[in-house]
Amino acid sequence: MRFVIALMRHETNTFSPIPTPLSAFSRGSSTGAPLYGDDAARACQGTNSAAAAFMDLVRAQGDEFVMPLMANAVPSGVVTREAFESMSATIIEAVRAGCDAVMLDLHGAMVAEGLADAEGELLARIRAAAPGIPIAVSLDFHANFSAALVDNATVIAGYRTYPHVDVYETGARAARTLMAALRGEARPVMLWRTLPMLTHMLRQTPREQPMKDIMDRAIAAERDGEVLNVSVFGGFPLADIPHTGLTVLVVADGNQADRTSAGARLLDELCAAAWARRADFVFPLEPMEVSIARARAAQAGPVILVDHGDNCGAGGPTDEMTVLGEVLRQGLEDVVAGPYWDPAAVAILVAAGVGNTVTVDVGGKTDTPALGLKGKPLRLTGRVRCVTDGSYQVTGPMFTGMQLSLGRTAVLDVGGTLVVVCEQPQEPFDTGVFTHAGIDLSRRKYVLIKSRQHFRAGFEPIAKEIVLVAGPGVCSSDYSQFPFRNLRRPIYPLDEHTSMHAA
């Protein structure tokens, strides 16, 4: 058999001021553009990605595949229509050339200009080009769902972890069910429901309650054969679209009436459990100054300070400097901070040269009109400690093996505090953002990063303590700051008297 395998991933923060053109889909590529054909397959091979699982399973069966596209972008603002049209056309052209099935490594929260559900549109176009073609889809835990997304897929499976360390396994789960369908051993039927809940991303992780035993129940149901697949999606709450919310999706076997009924009961059970805990999915905010003062009292490091209001992993520019400014004001010592996105500052530091002292305005180059935030640079004086090309390979458990780049990167030593400044934004889910520049994190008292949960993959093992810091930014957990206009209403917690069955 012949398969089309493609990777197209983007998590769209519709409030983010950072545009997302085609060139942004170069994560994992050194070309400044998406990868195509054999280059795409080589870049994915051996990585913790769903696409790698698809390829491995096809090869193990002795079948063949083509991989027309690997397009992966750091979360940011709305994707340009031109970018979406280019990527979708590349995939559809490969499908039209002939195949027995399609396997897609998608995110599930991509919003393009004029398209609230870009992945749903892609699947509808594939169906139009090849009616009846079986389609398996792997989705991020933060996917948002529309009817188009579900109706045009054969099977969907989602990550069960946050940080996302089971991406390969998610691809394998989706592919195994697709192969069973192709062999006539199963007839996948998808049952799903999106609850009117805006969960907080700091309360979503299946590692802890309130999500833990909900996800554990889903895992057990699939493992024990109650259903073919079951996934619980926390959803991406910073998308102002009608599809945002927590979703449960069950894949039952339509060949067995009792299994379909069991799938429907499981769907009801999981949705009821999530709704009953809706208040527990709200994250209580602590003032930034209080969090930093609490960290200052720590006896031993590394203490990981997590600025979660400006995280490029959720669409932030990572150039908001308020938290670093407060860390310096409160006198925390022995700090490494970053990486901060500021190509202009990098150019100044590179020109100054290693070993030289320079004064530079770092960050604050980006305004966020949707939230009424103005960029405020932080003026720093220090010695340029080193300059790198920013390239490193992920060695931690999240997206293991992927080659990433921060672009040119400079480290500025500001009185013992090391500030890492880069040309390309990257969430620090892997310690390589620092270690590639020769920084030994084990010898540092404080590590200040911009993240939410993904940092735990690489940084939790070295942390003596973790302090969450609610800095300002487009990734804030204070939903009252966001001018939502397109959500389905009512929705909890914006509308407290929301019913589970709200339209």
Side-chain angles (χ1 to χ4, degrees), residues 134 145 183 211 339 375 427:
F145 278 76
R183 293 190 297 266
M211 183 65 84
E427 181 176 4

Side-chain angles (χ1 to χ4, degrees), residues 324-383:
L324 177 58
E326 182 64 17
V327 164
L328 296 175
R329 189 191 72 79
Q330 291 200 26
L332 277 67
E333 298 178 344
D334 195 16
V335 180
V336 57
Y340 296 99
W341 175 57
D342 190 339
V346 170
I348 292 171
L349 296 173
V350 171
V354 174
N356 292 313
T357 298
V358 63
T359 297
V360 60
D361 288 337
V362 176
K365 309 296 195 299
T366 309
D367 297 335
T368 306
L371 273 65
L373 298 176
K374 297 286 291 183
K376 297 178 182 178
L378 182 64
R379 179 156 293 184
L380 299 172
T381 298
R383 181 178 62 86

Side-chain angles (χ1 to χ4, degrees), residues 11-14 107 109 142-144 201 204 234-239 244-245 313-315:
E11 182 178 78
T12 305
N13 182 329
T14 59
H107 186 284
H142 293 108
N144 292 321
M201 298 176 76
Q204 289 178 338
F236 184 60
L238 302 180
T244 302

Side-chain angles (χ1 to χ4, degrees), residues 44-59:
C44 287
Q45 188 61 49
T47 65
N48 185 6
S49 67
F54 296 157
M55 291 189 290
D56 287 348
L57 187 56
V58 170
R59 288 193 180 108

Side-chain angles (χ1 to χ4, degrees), residues 85-105:
E85 295 294 344
S86 174
M87 293 184 293
S88 61
T90 298
I91 295 170
I92 291 166
E93 181 181 358
V95 173
R96 282 187 173 136
C99 64
D100 295 288
V102 179
M103 294 190 282
L104 300 174
D105 184 343

Side-chain angles (χ1 to χ4, degrees), residues 2 40 72 81 114 155 164 168 202 206 269 281 301 336 338 355 367 388 491 495 498:
R2 177 182 172 87
N72 192 6
R81 189 60 174 260
V155 57
H164 307 321
Y168 181 98
L202 285 163
E269 176 189 343
F281 282 99
V336 57
D367 297 335
T388 78
I491 191 167
D495 307 302
T498 304

Side-chain angles (χ1 to χ4, degrees), residues 226-241:
E226 292 181 46
V227 292
L228 296 174
N229 300 98
V230 56
S231 304
V232 183
F233 299 86
F236 184 60
L238 302 180
D240 187 18
I241 58 173

